[in-house]
Amino acid sequence: MKVGIIGGGIGGLGAGYELAKAGHHVAIYEKAPFLGGLASTFEVGGGRLERFYHHLFKSDTTIIALLNELGLDKQLIWEQSKTGWFHDGKVYPFSGPLDLLKFKPLGIIDRIRMGLATLYLQRVKNWEKFEHVTAAEYIRKLAGKRNYEVLWEPMLKGKFSHYYDRIGMPWLWSKFATRTKSRGKNFKESLGYIKGSWGILIDEMENRIKQWGGEVYTDTSVSRIVTEKGRATGLTIINESGEETEREFDLIIATMPSFILPNLVEMPDEYVSKLRGVEYEGAIAVIWVLKKSLSPIYWLNIGDRDMPFLLVLEQTNLVDPKEYGGKHIIYTADYVARDDRRWNMSTDEIVQEYLQGLKRINPDFEESWIETHYLHKEPAAQPIIEVNYRDRMPTTRTPVGRLWLASMSQVYPEDRGTNYSLRLGIKVAREAIADINAEK
C-alpha cells in the first residue's frame, strides 16, 4: 500500500516507521529543511542539541520501547534532576517534599496543604471527573488561595498567557501523573536523555524507513490533498525548487497542527469547526552557550511574572558539558500567544531583555560568560486545553475517506510531548491500515 505522510516530526516519523516496517511504501514530506519538528537538533560545541528542550520521564514508555527496538537503549541515560522555584527575586530548591516544607514564601499550613494536595492528585486515576472544571478553580479549592497565588497562578499565566483561567484541570492532572512515575522511593525525580541528542533517534528512524523502501523529503511542502468521490487519493507537492507535482496514494496521514488541515482539503463544516476551534500558543527559546554554569539547578520554574521568560533549563546539569565542548548550555523559554510582541522583535532585542532576567537569577552573571546564543521560534507549540476538551477534540479519522490526522492536539488527556506524538503516530498508522483492510 502506498502511504503519503504530511509532516516529518516525531509523529510523522513514527507513523512512517510503523508502516514501512509492516511492508507498506511510505513517502514523508516535511516543509522544514530538517526532520524532528520541535525535537530537531543543530550543532553546538561539536555536539548536537535540540532547538527546544527535551527530556524523558519514566512514563515515556513508547519512546523507551522504540529505543530498545532500534538498539539505541545504551544511549539512554537517567540522572536525578534538580528543580528550583524563583520567587520574589530568590531561587528556592523545589525537588521534593522536604523542599516544599522549607519553602518560606508559604506558611507552614499552606505547605502541608500543598503537600497533601500533591499526594492526592498523584493518586487520582479517573481524570474524567476533572473534565468540567478549570485548573485555576479546582486548585484554588483543593490547595487554597495562597498556594494558588504563589505557585499555580504564575505558572498558568506564564504557560497560557490570557488563556490561563480557561485551562481544564485534566491538563494539570497529567503533570502530576507524569512526574510521579519518574520519582523513586526517595521522592527524587530521574529524567532521561538520549546521549548524543534526539537526533540519534530521528536519524535512525529515517534510516530504517529508507532501508525498507520508504522515501523521506525535507524542504518539501504539500499544497493540496487530492480527493475523488469523498476519498483522499493523492498529494500535490512543492519541492525546494518550487516545482509542483502530484502523486497518488492509497492512504494519507497528516501530522501538522489541526488548524492547518482545512487549508489543504475540503471537509464538512462541523469537522472544520473542531479543527479550527483548537487554539495554539507558540514557543520562543533563547539558547545560551556559556563559559560558566548559571546555577546547579536543571529546571528552574519562574514564579515572578515580571521576568521575561517562564523557565530556565540548564541542559548541562543533566548532560555532561563535554558533549558540547565543555561549554554550559541553558535554555530560557516561554510559551507565547499569537499576539505577543516578541514575534516582531529581533534576536538582539529579545536577548537584551532576557539578559536582565539571567542577572536576577544569578547576580554574579556577566555578559562575558556568553560564548554565543541562538533564538528559536515555533508558532504552534502548545494546544490550549480548555474545559470539556474531549468534546471539542477532532477525531483522528477525518470525514474524508482514507485521510487521517495525528496532531499534537489529539494526545489528550496528556499534554504535548514527544512520547505522546510518537504513540499517536503509531496508533493512527495501525488503525488506518486496519480500517482499509476492513473495507475489503
Side-chain angles (χ1 to χ4, degrees):
M1 191 174 299
K2 294 187 295 183
V3 185
I5 298 176
I6 309 172
I10 294 295
L13 288 170
Y17 176 87
E18 182 70 17
L19 291 164
K21 182 173 66 172
H24 302 287
H25 184 86
V26 170
I28 298 176
Y29 300 99
E30 170 55 53
K31 68 177 182 179
F34 47 79
L35 298 173
L38 290 168
S40 62
T41 62
F42 66 109
E43 187 174 322
V44 175
R48 292 166 75 184
L49 179 72
E50 294 70 32
R51 286 175 170 82
F52 297 90
Y53 61 88
H54 277 72
H55 53 237
L56 285 169
F57 295 103
K58 295 283 188 178
S59 56
D60 290 336
T61 54
T62 304
I63 284 185
I64 294 169
L66 180 59
L67 288 169
N68 288 331
E69 184 177 322
L70 294 173
L72 298 175
D73 48 302
K74 291 182 180 179
Q75 299 296 117
L76 181 56
I77 59 173
W78 293 97
E79 298 287 347
Q80 284 192 355
S81 66
K82 290 184 178 180
T83 302
W85 202 278
F86 186 81
H87 175 82
D88 199 19
K90 183 178 179 180
V91 175
Y92 294 87
F94 216 79
S95 296
L98 289 178
D99 290 332
L100 175 59
L101 287 173
K102 297 175 183 177
F103 188 60
K104 292 184 178 179
L106 296 173
I108 187 63
I109 300 301
D110 287 315
R111 294 177 228 168
I112 293 171
R113 186 172 180 179
M114 189 65 240
L116 293 173
T118 299
L119 288 173
Y120 169 71
L121 290 171
Q122 287 174 341
R123 285 161 173 73
V124 170
K125 304 298 182 186
N126 178 27
W127 62 268
E128 290 94 340
K129 69 180 184 178
F130 299 136
E131 269 274 281
H132 311 301
V133 63
T134 66
E137 178 185 355
Y138 188 85
I139 207 71
R140 268 197 302 261
K141 290 181 179 178
L142 181 67
K145 180 181 178 182
R146 180 62 179 165
N147 282 316
Y148 173 74
E149 290 175 346
V150 171
L151 299 176
W152 298 109
E153 187 175 53
M155 287 294 97
L156 285 167
K157 285 184 175 179
K159 178 87 171 182
F160 294 107
S161 62
H162 52 263
Y163 301 100
Y164 81 98
D165 56 355
R166 292 159 50 183
I167 302 304
M169 184 59 196
W171 174 83
L172 187 56
W173 167 86
S174 73
K175 297 299 184 185
F176 286 95
T178 298
R179 304 198 81 129
T180 297
K181 294 176 183 177
S182 283
R183 294 188 184 276
K185 294 180 180 179
N186 61 355
F187 298 103
K188 297 292 185 180
E189 181 178 61
S190 291
L191 297 178
Y193 187 74
I194 303 170
K195 185 176 173 62
S197 86
W198 286 66
I200 301 294
L201 173 61
I202 292 164
D203 290 348
E204 188 58 27
M205 292 174 74
E206 179 187 11
N207 291 338
R208 295 292 180 99
I209 291 168
K210 289 180 175 178
Q211 287 172 15
W212 291 323
E215 307 165 57
V216 180
Y217 301 94
T218 55
D219 275 318
T220 305
S221 59
V222 172
S223 62
R224 187 166 68 99
I225 297 171
V226 182
T227 62
E228 184 177 336
K229 296 180 180 179
R231 174 183 288 184
T233 58
L235 297 173
T236 301
I237 299 149
I238 304 174
N239 65 20
E240 57 185 319
S241 302
E243 298 169 338
E244 190 173 271
T245 57
E246 190 172 302
R247 288 189 64 177
E248 293 183 355
F249 291 102
D250 302 303
L251 169 68
I252 306 293
I253 298 177
T255 66
M256 76 282 281
S258 311
F259 62 86
I260 296 176
L261 187 58
N263 300 335
L264 304 181
V265 63
E266 290 189 14
M267 289 178 290
D269 291 344
E270 183 179 356
Y271 191 72
V272 170
S273 177
K274 285 194 171 185
L275 293 174
R276 290 182 170 154
V278 178
E279 297 183 76
Y280 282 74
E281 282 193 313
I284 294 178
V286 177
I287 297 170
W288 308 81
V289 181
L290 305 180
K291 298 173 185 176
K292 297 181 181 182
S293 172
L294 185 73
S295 84
I297 292 170
Y298 169 66
W299 182 289
L300 180 62
N301 291 296
I302 305 299
D304 291 2
R305 291 317 309 145
D306 60 342
M307 288 281 278
F309 37 75
L310 173 65
L311 69 88
V312 177
L313 184 143
E314 189 152 348
Q315 172 81 354
T316 39
N317 285 336
L318 187 69
V319 180
D320 196 317
K322 292 178 182 178
E323 293 289 317
Y324 314 104
K327 306 303 178 184
H328 298 268
I329 308 294
I330 67 169
Y331 292 82
T332 48
D334 210 355
Y335 290 93
V336 293
R338 294 186 184 184
D339 59 356
D340 192 281
R341 62 187 176 83
R342 282 167 288 183
W343 293 117
N344 298 317
M345 289 172 64
S346 69
T347 299
D348 287 343
E349 288 172 330
I350 293 175
V351 164
Q352 287 303 313
E353 190 170 291
Y354 282 21
L355 274 172
Q356 304 313 309
L358 296 181
K359 291 175 181 177
R360 287 186 61 189
I361 291 167
N362 182 347
D364 294 331
F365 173 80
E366 297 178 357
E367 293 185 34
S368 62
W369 295 10
I370 303 170
E371 283 268 321
T372 189
H373 53 71
Y374 304 90
L375 174 69
H376 297 294
K377 297 180 179 181
E378 168 53 52
Q382 173 69 59
I384 306 300
I385 308 301
E386 300 188 40
V387 293
N388 301 316
Y389 185 81
R390 183 167 49 178
D391 297 332
R392 306 154 61 99
M393 184 172 67
T395 56
T396 54
R397 180 193 281 107
T398 79
V400 177
R402 299 200 177 185
L403 172 61
W404 291 67
L405 176 65
S407 172
M408 196 186 299
S409 63
Q410 298 165 307
V411 300
Y412 184 75
E414 281 87 7
D415 188 25
R416 59 171 296 279
T418 312
N419 181 75
Y420 306 122
S421 292
L422 176 67
R423 186 179 70 184
L424 182 64
I426 294 171
K427 179 174 180 286
V428 166
R430 291 173 178 171
E431 290 179 350
I433 293 300
D435 194 62
I436 291 175
N437 289 335
E439 295 175 5
K440 300 176 181 178

